[in-house]
Amino acid sequence: MGTTAEGNGVAEANGNSGQPPAPPRKWYHINKQFMPIKLIYFCCHAAGISILPLLTLHMTSIGLTFADVAQVYLFMPVASFLGPPVIGFLADRTGRIRDLYIGCLVMHCVFHHALLFVPPSPHTTPEALAASANGTTLSCTDWPPPSCANLTRSLHCHLECPPDSEGELIACPAGDSCLSVGAAAELVLQLGADGCQLPALLTDNVTELELAHAELSCPDGCRLECAPGDELPISDRTTYWTYFFLRLAATFFLAPAFTLLDATCLAVVKEFRSPGQNFGRQRVGGIIASVIMPPLVGAIIDAVSTPGAADYSPAFYAMEICMVLTIVTIFVFHLHVSLPEKAHIGQLFKVLRRPEALVFILVVAILGSMWGFLESFLFVFLKKLKAPTYMLGLTMTVAGLASIPANWWSDAICSRIGHINILIISFFGYLVRYVGYSYIRNPWLAFPFELLEVATTHLMWNSAATYAGQLAPPGLLATLTGFAGALHYSFGRGIGSFLGGYLMALFGPVIAMRSMGVASGVCGVLYALAFYGCLRGHMTRRELRQRQKALARQQSEKFGEGPHEMAAMLEEVGMAAK
């Protein structure tokens, strides 16, 4: 009886009298309302991460030069900027937002897959460049020179003859008499924009002739020692322009796909307000995709490729499989796709009149250019160090795993260190990454520098987004954050890829890496001096004036001063704040 009474007392104390005890609470909880958006984030980001990091390698594999790559990336921000507003306008007019979203997914897959069918440039593919020697010897018995298919740059040649011979080049221009040119003359076997040889150019201190190869003879027993010219290799223009327009079309549809996905996620979070379910946690699916997919796709590419010829088609097929899963998830869960908030462009320019906001936007764009160069050319650099493709994917896995705790506690980290300090640290993080990459000769040594992506990318953007919230007036948070994101991930990336690509083409990857690193360090020092030497004091004085004016208004309303007394009080406040 005592036991029963004791049990009943406990039951009554718990408010469950006459009912079985509640089952123990599980250590995990699946929120079915948010499961669809998490799945879509995983599938959509898995599709993008399968192909986007490898597209620069694919461009070089079909013969596009670093200069070509730089030009393509320069114009990609234009497509990124145009895509979202055009699709948003069509959605406003038709109301068929989900259909347009699915259409964007399908079209970006179609145009990206079409890149597989771009005809390769015959003169500047890795195979052609490997087959062409840095220097060559042409025997006079082999004149005329080999076909232009074996040349990727013009050759600058000098006649070399035995010591006891006084050989000379004999030039017989059409319609003119023959003449001999001494051994000091330079013979340039030119390469045209279409990859074929132009007439040879023969120069010495007196003569400069353009000759067909048949109009030039070389004495027996001599040879021509040739070295490549300093000009950049030229890819086939059909290859370049076909790739250029297909890539821009793919980017045009890709940009609104991710914009609409983020807007839908925000709408779902607002509709189903649930403890612990914020915007960042829905994006965890995308981080998981960046951890899993790159090494998996890289391993498949290594398995199907042959020595000297990489096959990147598995990345395209993985993208399409993941995109089909995305569309199926949308239909199965009847997901309602939402449009992003309208941007208040006119009010945005009022915000940018503030010096600290203008400098902040400039800093975000510069950091975007630093990020863009690495995103576009780091894999190319590691490939030159003989890195396997699966190792390239592992670099993203390591960076993704390291970013999870940083994103989870990003608010605490930003509050502790300071938003401006994190932006400054990001500049110096890029300095260490760039200079560190330039010195490694073993691709596996890149992993320690990849860990710095936690600071240069993840903490940097979390800090920038939070700081934008402090700078933005009420109602302009989404506008300023979106503008900063577009400058960082689109405009900044395009500028960084363009400048870095030309540095790679002109000076090679080592000099390009170190130049970008030094530039990042200089920008970090300048930003620190500008903020702590000028902007912080300017912001403090303005905030002081605003607080004092607000206090003056309160006193005026309380004691009932007239407009003239109010104006005099505000003037005194302004003088005191200077």
Side-chain angles (χ1 to χ4, degrees):
M1 292 294 291
T3 304
T4 304
E6 183 180 356
N8 289 337
V10 173
E12 290 174 2
N14 292 335
N16 293 322
S17 179
Q19 297 181 2
R25 184 178 178 87
K26 297 180 179 179
W27 64 272
Y28 65 91
H29 174 66
I30 298 177
N31 193 320
K32 296 181 180 179
Q33 294 171 329
F34 292 92
M35 185 55 63
I37 195 69
K38 287 185 174 69
L39 290 175
I40 291 175
Y41 257 110
F42 176 84
C43 295
C44 194
H45 280 262
I49 208 70
S50 297
I51 185 175
L52 294 178
L54 299 173
L55 283 178
T56 303
L57 289 173
H58 177 256
M59 295 167 77
T60 58
S61 72
I62 62 174
L64 295 181
T65 65
F66 288 143
D68 296 332
V69 174
Q71 293 167 15
V72 171
Y73 280 120
L74 177 65
F75 286 94
M76 278 178 56
V78 178
S80 297
F81 276 121
L82 290 178
V86 170
I87 299 300
F89 172 78
L90 294 176
D92 287 335
R93 295 296 298 269
T94 63
R96 307 182 66 173
I97 305 174
R98 190 175 74 168
D99 294 340
L100 285 169
Y101 177 61
I102 294 174
C104 288
L105 298 179
V106 172
M107 293 306 296
H108 105 73
C109 279
V110 169
F111 282 110
H112 272 122
H113 190 84
L115 298 177
L116 285 175
F117 302 99
V118 175
S121 174
H123 304 283
T124 48
T125 59
E127 294 81 10
L129 290 171
S132 63
N134 291 329
T136 185
T137 298
L138 300 177
S139 172
C140 286
T141 58
D142 298 329
W143 189 264
S147 66
C148 60
N150 294 327
L151 293 180
T152 57
R153 299 191 185 190
S154 63
L155 293 180
H156 294 243
C157 308
H158 292 274
L159 184 66
E160 296 286 344
C161 296
D164 56 350
S165 172
E166 296 183 0
E168 294 181 325
L169 291 171
I170 306 299
C172 297
D176 202 348
S177 58
C178 295
L179 60 117
S180 61
V181 182
E186 181 182 60
L187 177 67
V188 181
L189 306 179
Q190 300 182 84
L191 189 70
D194 59 353
C196 292
Q197 287 173 329
L198 298 172
L201 181 65
L202 184 64
T203 60
D204 63 6
N205 295 329
V206 180
T207 308
E208 180 172 334
L209 296 173
E210 281 195 353
L211 303 167
H213 296 154
E215 298 172 347
L216 187 68
S217 61
C218 176
D220 293 340
C222 298
R223 66 185 185 278
L224 290 169
E225 292 290 344
C226 304
D230 295 330
E231 76 279 0
L232 300 178
I234 302 174
S235 64
D236 183 75
R237 295 296 85 188
T238 301
T239 301
Y240 172 76
W241 288 113
T242 304
Y243 189 96
F244 179 87
F245 287 113
L246 288 176
R247 183 71 184 275
L248 261 61
T251 304
F252 177 87
F253 289 104
L254 178 65
F258 283 101
T259 302
L260 291 175
L261 177 59
D262 286 341
T264 301
C265 180
L266 286 171
V268 170
V269 171
K270 291 180 180 179
E271 181 180 359
F272 304 105
R273 296 183 182 274
S274 179
Q277 296 294 337
N278 55 31
F279 177 70
R281 293 193 179 184
Q282 310 315 310
R283 293 172 58 90
V284 169
I287 296 177
I288 295 174
S290 68
V291 170
I292 296 175
M293 293 303 296
L296 177 62
V297 172
I300 297 174
I301 290 174
D302 287 335
V304 301
S305 298
T306 58
D311 182 3
Y312 295 104
S313 61
F316 292 83
Y317 295 125
M319 171 196 68
E320 290 153 9
I321 292 171
C322 293
M323 202 55 69
V324 168
L325 294 176
T326 303
I327 296 173
V328 169
T329 304
I330 292 174
F331 279 110
V332 168
F333 291 98
H334 305 287
L335 187 69
H336 174 71
V337 181
S338 302
L339 285 174
E341 296 181 7
K342 299 293 184 181
H344 305 279
I345 301 298
Q347 298 181 24
L348 176 63
F349 285 112
K350 294 181 180 179
V351 177
L352 295 181
R353 292 176 185 174
R354 297 181 178 180
E356 66 272 17
L358 189 61
V359 172
F360 166 72
I361 290 298
L362 179 62
V363 164
V364 168
I366 294 174
L367 286 170
S369 67
M370 298 299 164
W371 171 77
F373 176 68
L374 284 182
E375 285 293 302
S376 300
F377 292 101
L378 177 60
F379 282 6
V380 175
F381 174 69
L382 295 178
K383 267 294 185 182
K384 286 184 175 293
L385 299 180
K386 309 300 181 185
T389 310
Y390 77 87
M391 195 224 84
L392 304 180
L394 282 176
T395 61
M396 304 188 69
T397 299
V398 169
L401 289 174
S403 71
I404 293 177
N407 280 291
W408 193 268
W409 288 293
S410 63
D411 290 343
I413 296 172
C414 293
S415 299
R416 182 79 174 179
I417 301 177
H419 302 94
I420 300 300
N421 291 334
I422 288 180
L423 295 179
I424 296 172
I425 289 172
S426 298
F427 278 114
F428 293 106
Y430 278 118
L431 168 63
V432 175
R433 291 184 70 185
Y434 276 118
V435 176
Y437 289 135
S438 71
Y439 280 101
I440 66 173
R441 295 298 175 262
N442 184 339
W444 292 94
L445 295 178
F447 283 99
F449 302 106
E450 279 297 291
L451 293 176
L452 289 174
E453 188 172 321
V454 174
T456 59
T457 302
H458 299 284
L459 284 179
M460 173 266 152
W461 180 245
N462 289 334
S463 177
T466 308
Y467 185 59
Q470 297 178 5
L471 293 176
L476 283 182
L477 174 60
T479 301
L480 185 59
T481 305
F483 183 67
L487 283 178
H488 183 80
Y489 292 107
S490 294
F491 177 78
R493 176 177 182 171
I495 295 298
S497 300
F498 175 74
L499 295 177
Y502 268 99
L503 286 174
M504 293 270 285
L506 293 172
F507 305 109
V510 173
I511 299 299
M513 290 277 185
R514 293 175 186 173
S515 300
M516 295 293 286
V518 171
S520 181
V522 171
C523 290
V525 171
L526 292 177
Y527 183 44
L529 293 175
F531 182 81
Y532 287 105
C534 178
L535 293 176
R536 185 170 66 170
H538 176 78
M539 294 168 63
T540 302
R541 290 190 295 271
R542 187 181 65 241
E543 291 173 358
L544 177 61
R545 287 195 298 268
Q546 292 174 347
R547 286 196 300 267
Q548 291 176 335
K549 287 181 180 180
L551 179 61
R553 289 193 184 92
Q554 292 176 0
Q555 293 177 347
S556 174
E557 294 172 358
K558 181 177 181 180
F559 297 106
E561 286 89 347
H564 297 290
E565 291 81 358
M566 179 67 180
M569 186 180 298
L570 289 177
E571 183 178 356
E572 292 176 1
V573 167
M575 293 295 294
K578 289 183 180 180

PDB file of all heavy atoms in Angstrom, residues 38-59:
ATOM      1  N   LYS A  38      16.263  21.020 -46.180  1.00  0.00           N
ATOM      2  CA  LYS A  38      17.610  20.482 -45.952  1.00  0.00           C
ATOM      3  C   LYS A  38      18.010  19.539 -47.081  1.00  0.00           C
ATOM      4  O   LYS A  38      19.158  19.555 -47.542  1.00  0.00           O
ATOM      5  CB  LYS A  38      17.660  19.755 -44.608  1.00  0.00           C
ATOM      6  CG  LYS A  38      17.649  20.664 -43.377  1.00  0.00           C
ATOM      7  CD  LYS A  38      17.828  19.843 -42.125  1.00  0.00           C
ATOM      8  CE  LYS A  38      17.978  20.725 -40.873  1.00  0.00           C
ATOM      9  NZ  LYS A  38      16.731  21.419 -40.530  1.00  0.00           N
ATOM     10  N   LEU A  39      17.081  18.693 -47.525  1.00  0.00           N
ATOM     11  CA  LEU A  39      17.379  17.773 -48.624  1.00  0.00           C
ATOM     12  C   LEU A  39      17.670  18.529 -49.911  1.00  0.00           C
ATOM     13  O   LEU A  39      18.591  18.179 -50.666  1.00  0.00           O
ATOM     14  CB  LEU A  39      16.217  16.807 -48.830  1.00  0.00           C
ATOM     15  CG  LEU A  39      16.002  15.753 -47.736  1.00  0.00           C
ATOM     16  CD1 LEU A  39      14.730  14.949 -48.021  1.00  0.00           C
ATOM     17  CD2 LEU A  39      17.194  14.817 -47.656  1.00  0.00           C
ATOM     18  N   ILE A  40      16.898  19.581 -50.156  1.00  0.00           N
ATOM     19  CA  ILE A  40      17.115  20.349 -51.382  1.00  0.00           C
ATOM     20  C   ILE A  40      18.453  21.077 -51.325  1.00  0.00           C
ATOM     21  O   ILE A  40      19.179  21.148 -52.322  1.00  0.00           O
ATOM     22  CB  ILE A  40      15.941  21.331 -51.593  1.00  0.00           C
ATOM     23  CG1 ILE A  40      14.668  20.552 -51.925  1.00  0.00           C
ATOM     24  CG2 ILE A  40      16.255  22.320 -52.709  1.00  0.00           C
ATOM     25  CD1 ILE A  40      13.441  21.418 -52.021  1.00  0.00           C
ATOM     26  N   TYR A  41      18.788  21.607 -50.158  1.00  0.00           N
ATOM     27  CA  TYR A  41      20.102  22.240 -50.018  1.00  0.00           C
ATOM     28  C   TYR A  41      21.214  21.237 -50.303  1.00  0.00           C
ATOM     29  O   TYR A  41      22.197  21.560 -50.985  1.00  0.00           O
ATOM     30  CB  TYR A  41      20.269  22.805 -48.606  1.00  0.00           C
ATOM     31  CG  TYR A  41      20.103  24.306 -48.544  1.00  0.00           C
ATOM     32  CD1 TYR A  41      18.998  24.871 -47.931  1.00  0.00           C
ATOM     33  CD2 TYR A  41      21.048  25.156 -49.105  1.00  0.00           C
ATOM     34  CE1 TYR A  41      18.836  26.251 -47.872  1.00  0.00           C
ATOM     35  CE2 TYR A  41      20.894  26.525 -49.055  1.00  0.00           C
ATOM     36  CZ  TYR A  41      19.788  27.070 -48.439  1.00  0.00           C
ATOM     37  OH  TYR A  41      19.634  28.420 -48.399  1.00  0.00           O
ATOM     38  N   PHE A  42      21.075  20.037 -49.773  1.00  0.00           N
ATOM     39  CA  PHE A  42      22.110  19.024 -50.010  1.00  0.00           C
ATOM     40  C   PHE A  42      22.215  18.693 -51.495  1.00  0.00           C
ATOM     41  O   PHE A  42      23.315  18.693 -52.066  1.00  0.00           O
ATOM     42  CB  PHE A  42      21.801  17.760 -49.214  1.00  0.00           C
ATOM     43  CG  PHE A  42      22.767  16.636 -49.481  1.00  0.00           C
ATOM     44  CD1 PHE A  42      23.972  16.569 -48.817  1.00  0.00           C
ATOM     45  CD2 PHE A  42      22.473  15.654 -50.428  1.00  0.00           C
ATOM     46  CE1 PHE A  42      24.874  15.549 -49.069  1.00  0.00           C
ATOM     47  CE2 PHE A  42      23.361  14.625 -50.686  1.00  0.00           C
ATOM     48  CZ  PHE A  42      24.568  14.573 -50.011  1.00  0.00           C
ATOM     49  N   CYS A  43      21.084  18.402 -52.131  1.00  0.00           N
ATOM     50  CA  CYS A  43      21.109  17.978 -53.538  1.00  0.00           C
ATOM     51  C   CYS A  43      21.571  19.107 -54.454  1.00  0.00           C
ATOM     52  O   CYS A  43      22.376  18.896 -55.372  1.00  0.00           O
ATOM     53  CB  CYS A  43      19.725  17.485 -53.961  1.00  0.00           C
ATOM     54  SG  CYS A  43      19.167  16.004 -53.112  1.00  0.00           S
ATOM     55  N   CYS A  44      21.069  20.321 -54.206  1.00  0.00           N
ATOM     56  CA  CYS A  44      21.415  21.448 -55.083  1.00  0.00           C
ATOM     57  C   CYS A  44      22.892  21.813 -54.940  1.00  0.00           C
ATOM     58  O   CYS A  44      23.588  22.021 -55.936  1.00  0.00           O
ATOM     59  CB  CYS A  44      20.523  22.641 -54.750  1.00  0.00           C
ATOM     60  SG  CYS A  44      20.551  23.942 -56.001  1.00  0.00           S
ATOM     61  N   HIS A  45      23.383  21.851 -53.716  1.00  0.00           N
ATOM     62  CA  HIS A  45      24.802  22.166 -53.519  1.00  0.00           C
ATOM     63  C   HIS A  45      25.692  21.006 -53.966  1.00  0.00           C
ATOM     64  O   HIS A  45      26.817  21.235 -54.427  1.00  0.00           O
ATOM     65  CB  HIS A  45      25.063  22.506 -52.057  1.00  0.00           C
ATOM     66  CG  HIS A  45      24.692  23.905 -51.695  1.00  0.00           C
ATOM     67  ND1 HIS A  45      25.592  24.935 -51.632  1.00  0.00           N
ATOM     68  CD2 HIS A  45      23.482  24.458 -51.406  1.00  0.00           C
ATOM     69  CE1 HIS A  45      24.982  26.056 -51.302  1.00  0.00           C
ATOM     70  NE2 HIS A  45      23.694  25.797 -51.147  1.00  0.00           N
ATOM     71  N   ALA A  46      25.210  19.782 -53.825  1.00  0.00           N
ATOM     72  CA  ALA A  46      25.982  18.644 -54.326  1.00  0.00           C
ATOM     73  C   ALA A  46      26.146  18.739 -55.839  1.00  0.00           C
ATOM     74  O   ALA A  46      27.207  18.415 -56.385  1.00  0.00           O
ATOM     75  CB  ALA A  46      25.300  17.331 -53.942  1.00  0.00           C
ATOM     76  N   ALA A  47      25.094  19.197 -56.522  1.00  0.00           N
ATOM     77  CA  ALA A  47      25.186  19.368 -57.976  1.00  0.00           C
ATOM     78  C   ALA A  47      26.218  20.434 -58.330  1.00  0.00           C
ATOM     79  O   ALA A  47      27.060  20.238 -59.214  1.00  0.00           O
ATOM     80  CB  ALA A  47      23.820  19.738 -58.542  1.00  0.00           C
ATOM     81  N   GLY A  48      26.168  21.563 -57.629  1.00  0.00           N
ATOM     82  CA  GLY A  48      27.101  22.632 -57.939  1.00  0.00           C
ATOM     83  C   GLY A  48      28.532  22.303 -57.576  1.00  0.00           C
ATOM     84  O   GLY A  48      29.454  22.552 -58.355  1.00  0.00           O
ATOM     85  N   ILE A  49      28.724  21.702 -56.398  1.00  0.00           N
ATOM     86  CA  ILE A  49      30.083  21.424 -55.934  1.00  0.00           C
ATOM     87  C   ILE A  49      30.722  20.289 -56.720  1.00  0.00           C
ATOM     88  O   ILE A  49      31.946  20.119 -56.699  1.00  0.00           O
ATOM     89  CB  ILE A  49      30.061  21.092 -54.425  1.00  0.00           C
ATOM     90  CG1 ILE A  49      31.398  21.470 -53.768  1.00  0.00           C
ATOM     91  CG2 ILE A  49      29.744  19.629 -54.177  1.00  0.00           C
ATOM     92  CD1 ILE A  49      31.630  22.931 -53.657  1.00  0.00           C
ATOM     93  N   SER A  50      29.930  19.499 -57.434  1.00  0.00           N
ATOM     94  CA  SER A  50      30.485  18.412 -58.245  1.00  0.00           C
ATOM     95  C   SER A  50      31.220  18.933 -59.472  1.00  0.00           C
ATOM     96  O   SER A  50      32.173  18.300 -59.946  1.00  0.00           O
ATOM     97  CB  SER A  50      29.361  17.460 -58.689  1.00  0.00           C
ATOM     98  OG  SER A  50      28.758  16.837 -57.586  1.00  0.00           O
ATOM     99  N   ILE A  51      30.796  20.103 -59.965  1.00  0.00           N
ATOM    100  CA  ILE A  51      31.323  20.551 -61.250  1.00  0.00           C
ATOM    101  C   ILE A  51      32.048  21.887 -61.185  1.00  0.00           C
ATOM    102  O   ILE A  51      33.087  22.076 -61.845  1.00  0.00           O
ATOM    103  CB  ILE A  51      30.173  20.627 -62.289  1.00  0.00           C
ATOM    104  CG1 ILE A  51      30.719  20.985 -63.674  1.00  0.00           C
ATOM    105  CG2 ILE A  51      29.117  21.608 -61.845  1.00  0.00           C
ATOM    106  CD1 ILE A  51      29.667  20.956 -64.746  1.00  0.00           C
ATOM    107  N   LEU A  52      31.546  22.838 -60.385  1.00  0.00           N
ATOM    108  CA  LEU A  52      32.087  24.200 -60.436  1.00  0.00           C
ATOM    109  C   LEU A  52      33.579  24.270 -60.118  1.00  0.00           C
ATOM    110  O   LEU A  52      34.315  24.974 -60.822  1.00  0.00           O
ATOM    111  CB  LEU A  52      31.285  25.099 -59.495  1.00  0.00           C
ATOM    112  CG  LEU A  52      29.820  25.325 -59.895  1.00  0.00           C
ATOM    113  CD1 LEU A  52      29.114  26.200 -58.867  1.00  0.00           C
ATOM    114  CD2 LEU A  52      29.727  25.949 -61.277  1.00  0.00           C
ATOM    115  N   PRO A  53      34.105  23.581 -59.087  1.00  0.00           N
ATOM    116  CA  PRO A  53      35.546  23.697 -58.831  1.00  0.00           C
ATOM    117  C   PRO A  53      36.426  23.116 -59.924  1.00  0.00           C
ATOM    118  O   PRO A  53      37.613  23.442 -59.996  1.00  0.00           O
ATOM    119  CB  PRO A  53      35.731  22.919 -57.512  1.00  0.00           C
ATOM    120  CG  PRO A  53      34.373  22.849 -56.899  1.00  0.00           C
ATOM    121  CD  PRO A  53      33.431  22.786 -58.049  1.00  0.00           C
ATOM    122  N   LEU A  54      35.852  22.253 -60.769  1.00  0.00           N
ATOM    123  CA  LEU A  54      36.651  21.571 -61.793  1.00  0.00           C
ATOM    124  C   LEU A  54      36.544  22.224 -63.162  1.00  0.00           C
ATOM    125  O   LEU A  54      37.200  21.776 -64.106  1.00  0.00           O
ATOM    126  CB  LEU A  54      36.219  20.104 -61.900  1.00  0.00           C
ATOM    127  CG  LEU A  54      36.393  19.258 -60.635  1.00  0.00           C
ATOM    128  CD1 LEU A  54      35.763  17.887 -60.818  1.00  0.00           C
ATOM    129  CD2 LEU A  54      37.867  19.121 -60.281  1.00  0.00           C
ATOM    130  N   LEU A  55      35.740  23.275 -63.280  1.00  0.00           N
ATOM    131  CA  LEU A  55      35.523  23.852 -64.606  1.00  0.00           C
ATOM    132  C   LEU A  55      36.778  24.523 -65.159  1.00  0.00           C
ATOM    133  O   LEU A  55      37.002  24.515 -66.375  1.00  0.00           O
ATOM    134  CB  LEU A  55      34.368  24.847 -64.556  1.00  0.00           C
ATOM    135  CG  LEU A  55      32.972  24.210 -64.522  1.00  0.00           C
ATOM    136  CD1 LEU A  55      31.889  25.275 -64.428  1.00  0.00           C
ATOM    137  CD2 LEU A  55      32.741  23.337 -65.753  1.00  0.00           C
ATOM    138  N   THR A  56      37.613  25.107 -64.306  1.00  0.00           N
ATOM    139  CA  THR A  56      38.862  25.697 -64.816  1.00  0.00           C
ATOM    140  C   THR A  56      39.771  24.611 -65.382  1.00  0.00           C
ATOM    141  O   THR A  56      40.399  24.799 -66.436  1.00  0.00           O
ATOM    142  CB  THR A  56      39.579  26.460 -63.704  1.00  0.00           C
ATOM    143  OG1 THR A  56      38.702  27.448 -63.170  1.00  0.00           O
ATOM    144  CG2 THR A  56      40.827  27.154 -64.246  1.00  0.00           C
ATOM    145  N   LEU A  57      39.859  23.471 -64.696  1.00  0.00           N
ATOM    146  CA  LEU A  57      40.648  22.357 -65.226  1.00  0.00           C
ATOM    147  C   LEU A  57      40.077  21.874 -66.549  1.00  0.00           C
ATOM    148  O   LEU A  57      40.825  21.529 -67.469  1.00  0.00           O
ATOM    149  CB  LEU A  57      40.675  21.213 -64.215  1.00  0.00           C
ATOM    150  CG  LEU A  57      41.505  21.444 -62.950  1.00  0.00           C
ATOM    151  CD1 LEU A  57      41.308  20.296 -61.969  1.00  0.00           C
ATOM    152  CD2 LEU A  57      42.977  21.593 -63.293  1.00  0.00           C
ATOM    153  N   HIS A  58      38.746  21.833 -66.648  1.00  0.00           N
ATOM    154  CA  HIS A  58      38.134  21.413 -67.917  1.00  0.00           C
ATOM    155  C   HIS A  58      38.448  22.411 -69.025  1.00  0.00           C
ATOM    156  O   HIS A  58      38.694  22.025 -70.175  1.00  0.00           O
ATOM    157  CB  HIS A  58      36.615  21.268 -67.736  1.00  0.00           C
ATOM    158  CG  HIS A  58      35.893  20.921 -68.998  1.00  0.00           C
ATOM    159  ND1 HIS A  58      35.167  21.849 -69.716  1.00  0.00           N
ATOM    160  CD2 HIS A  58      35.820  19.760 -69.696  1.00  0.00           C
ATOM    161  CE1 HIS A  58      34.658  21.262 -70.783  1.00  0.00           C
ATOM    162  NE2 HIS A  58      35.037  20.004 -70.804  1.00  0.00           N
ATOM    163  N   MET A  59      38.456  23.708 -68.691  1.00  0.00           N
ATOM    164  CA  MET A  59      38.779  24.710 -69.700  1.00  0.00           C
ATOM    165  C   MET A  59      40.188  24.518 -70.243  1.00  0.00           C
ATOM    166  O   MET A  59      40.410  24.586 -71.464  1.00  0.00           O
ATOM    167  CB  MET A  59      38.620  26.110 -69.093  1.00  0.00           C
ATOM    168  CG  MET A  59      37.192  26.467 -68.709  1.00  0.00           C
ATOM    169  SD  MET A  59      37.082  27.932 -67.671  1.00  0.00           S
ATOM    170  CE  MET A  59      37.325  29.218 -68.880  1.00  0.00           C
TER     171      MET A  59
END
